[in-house]
Amino acid sequence: MPDLHLQHDYAKALAEAGLDATPTGDVACPDPGALLAARLPVFALAAGAVAAFAQAANRVRAAAGVRPRPVRLDPERIAASFSGDRMLRLSGTPIDGFADLSGFFRARDGWVRTHANYPHHRARLLRALDVPADAGREQVADRIRGLDAATVETAAVAHDAIAVRVRDEAQWRSSEPGRAVATEPLVAVTRRADFGRVAAPAPTEAAPLAGVRVLDTTRVIAGPVASRALALLGATVLRIDPPHLPEIEWQHIENGQGKRSALLDLRDPRGAATFRALLADADILLSGYRPGALEAMIGDIGAVRPGLIRGRVCAWGTTGPWAGRRGFDSIVQAASGIAAVESGGDAPGALPAQALDHASGYLLAAGVLDAYAVGDGVGRDVTVSLARTGAWLLDAPGRRTDAPRPATPSVATVVTHGAVTAARPAVADYPDHPFPARPWGGDPPSWPILPETR
């Protein structure tokens, strides 16, 4: 059931971190200028999500008897962090965030957007389009030009591939999935029936989550941003990935900072048993699995670890016909009307960063912190969705007729470790993440004996 006393007004935090220089409440935010420039108020979304996380961190500090910190937002740091893929350099070379079959394609009656960054998603897309397994972008473009956009979307769903018809705002708002997600909370916190032990942290002002164990099974951006944010506050974060689905290297380097990384095949009984043992000793679980998928491999979460705080991120919300469907930030932008709003001409456009992912990550982390701060041993689920975050952005005041000329964050917003140059944390209090990303899958699937220290 909904945990009503934990329904903090996260939407208010987003609204308060607007585009002017006036401090609001306990949040001070200078004028961001043209950072994260777009027609939609992307900076307000980004700064508000970071503010919500920082405010929740202070509620954890207060619950632990630790002095809170003023919430100080640095627009350049926020913009750099949300644009982390564009700020990232590997041996001085920028990365390309999208594969050749990811992007907009013109269909017979409109546009579609595809996502095929992972090899298995690419293979599914090619099967859905009924083209050869070695087809390139031109062959895929030719195929899609001969199909209606809705046909491509339907075929993608049938093959578990990822492609959507580009819609305008009115089409999305009037659709069944659009109406469903608009009614959901921005951050939903619900109580479970299980009850268990309370974490025994060793909080400090800089590390209010020191001694807290976070088991992270999320991938791509939103969930990893949430676990990276919790690591910033001193939590010991162990990310678990399936060995048969390697993470994209740059995504792990950019979002894996402050965490350990291990591999487990939960389809194997031994891997599932090891995961259950890890979960039994965890305080927080972050997951991006579709409903019921994780439980099918390891059993009931609350039975394995009663009282666990579970954070969940999804693309399309938990109700409506698209609940449980796969999706990514760019795909949600395309289906929800954001790409149409940001269009610069004949073709659809995009936000200046994967802002739905990053904002949802900070909102998830904020909700998890608030659920954790209660400290009553009651199991709770915290849920966010990219589509609901996108609905806030579409409804927010501050939309512009034309996007201003974008500004680039300064060199002071990045830090270099060896061959990797990456954005500093979005939270201005911290000059760097606890440590750079460790090799993917290079750690044992076990909790360290000692908690992380700062």
Side-chain angles (χ1 to χ4, degrees):
M1 63 179 178
D3 209 343
L4 297 178
H5 74 286
L6 275 181
Q7 302 301 318
H8 291 289
D9 194 350
Y10 299 101
K12 182 180 179 183
L14 268 62
E16 284 183 342
L19 298 171
D20 60 55
T22 305
T24 53
D26 64 342
V27 179
C29 183
D31 186 343
L35 295 168
L36 297 179
R39 289 187 173 91
L40 293 169
V42 179
F43 181 82
L45 172 67
V50 174
F53 169 71
Q55 290 168 328
N58 272 340
R59 289 190 283 271
V60 169
R61 291 185 178 101
V66 175
R67 183 177 62 181
R69 291 182 164 186
V71 178
R72 179 175 61 87
L73 302 181
D74 182 328
E76 279 203 308
R77 288 274 294 272
I78 292 169
S81 182
F82 271 60
S83 305
D85 57 335
R86 299 182 183 183
M87 305 299 290
L88 185 66
R89 298 290 184 272
L90 303 180
S91 299
T93 304
I95 58 95
D96 186 354
F98 288 99
D100 61 333
L101 297 190
S102 295
F104 292 109
F105 291 86
R106 187 185 289 277
R108 185 160 52 196
D109 61 345
W111 290 85
V112 298
R113 178 138 195 174
T114 63
H115 194 287
N117 283 7
Y118 288 96
H120 58 292
H121 289 160
R122 178 191 178 96
R124 291 171 187 169
L125 177 65
L126 294 173
R127 286 197 295 270
L129 295 173
D130 194 22
V131 295
D134 60 351
R137 186 175 178 88
E138 288 189 11
Q139 192 169 354
V140 167
D142 287 341
R143 173 63 172 157
I144 293 177
R145 270 194 295 267
L147 300 171
D148 291 340
T151 299
V152 175
E153 183 175 274
T154 300
V157 173
H159 288 80
D160 213 11
I162 303 166
V164 294
R165 175 168 64 93
V166 175
R167 294 162 171 81
D168 61 29
E169 284 184 86
Q171 290 170 329
W172 175 250
R173 292 179 190 275
S174 63
S175 70
E176 194 174 351
R179 291 196 307 269
V181 78
T183 65
E184 296 183 5
L186 190 63
V187 179
V189 183
T190 57
R191 296 163 62 101
R192 301 193 307 271
D194 54 276
F195 178 89
R197 63 176 173 79
V198 178
T204 66
E205 181 184 330
L209 293 185
V212 174
R213 289 175 169 175
V214 178
L215 192 59
D216 180 18
T217 65
T218 63
R219 292 168 68 87
V220 195
I221 299 177
V225 164
S227 56
R228 187 181 65 182
L230 298 178
L232 192 69
L233 299 183
T236 298
V237 179
L238 176 61
R239 172 168 160 166
I240 300 295
D241 279 290
H244 61 286
L245 294 176
E247 181 58 290
I248 296 170
E249 181 185 18
W250 73 261
Q251 285 183 171
H252 173 69
I253 290 173
E254 208 267 306
N255 295 321
Q257 300 166 89
K259 315 171 200 178
R260 285 173 165 79
S261 170
L263 304 180
L264 280 176
D265 188 349
L266 303 191
R267 303 168 304 176
D268 180 87
R270 292 171 297 178
T274 299
F275 186 87
R276 281 191 290 269
L278 291 171
L279 185 62
D281 287 333
D283 304 301
I284 295 168
L285 168 69
L286 298 183
S287 67
Y289 283 94
R290 289 187 285 183
L294 184 58
E295 288 84 351
M297 293 184 286
I298 67 164
D300 180 66
I301 300 294
V304 177
R305 169 51 169 102
L308 181 81
I309 304 300
R310 180 180 186 179
R312 308 177 72 167
V313 61
C314 62
W316 305 105
T318 58
T319 60
W322 285 22
R325 185 179 290 193
R326 297 182 190 276
F328 295 90
D329 185 311
S330 60
I331 296 296
V332 174
Q333 289 186 42
S336 66
I338 291 174
V341 172
E342 297 295 342
S343 172
D346 178 51
L351 299 178
Q354 303 292 291
L356 305 184
D357 261 328
H358 285 267
S360 297
Y362 284 106
L363 290 172
L364 179 63
V368 165
L369 289 175
D370 283 325
Y372 165 77
V374 177
D376 59 2
V378 173
R380 288 179 171 86
D381 290 334
V382 181
T383 305
V384 301
S385 75
L386 306 186
R388 180 62 184 89
T389 301
W392 181 92
L393 182 61
L394 286 167
D395 290 339
R399 185 181 298 198
R400 301 168 184 252
T401 304
D402 291 300
R405 186 174 181 177
T408 302
S410 72
V411 68
T413 62
V414 298
V415 62
T416 298
H417 296 283
V420 177
T421 298
R424 296 181 186 273
V427 180
D429 292 343
Y430 296 88
D432 198 359
H433 297 282
F435 48 84
R438 298 157 74 95
W440 184 79
D443 292 298
S446 60
W447 293 111
I449 296 175
L450 298 175
E452 299 298 332
T453 58
R454 186 173 297 280

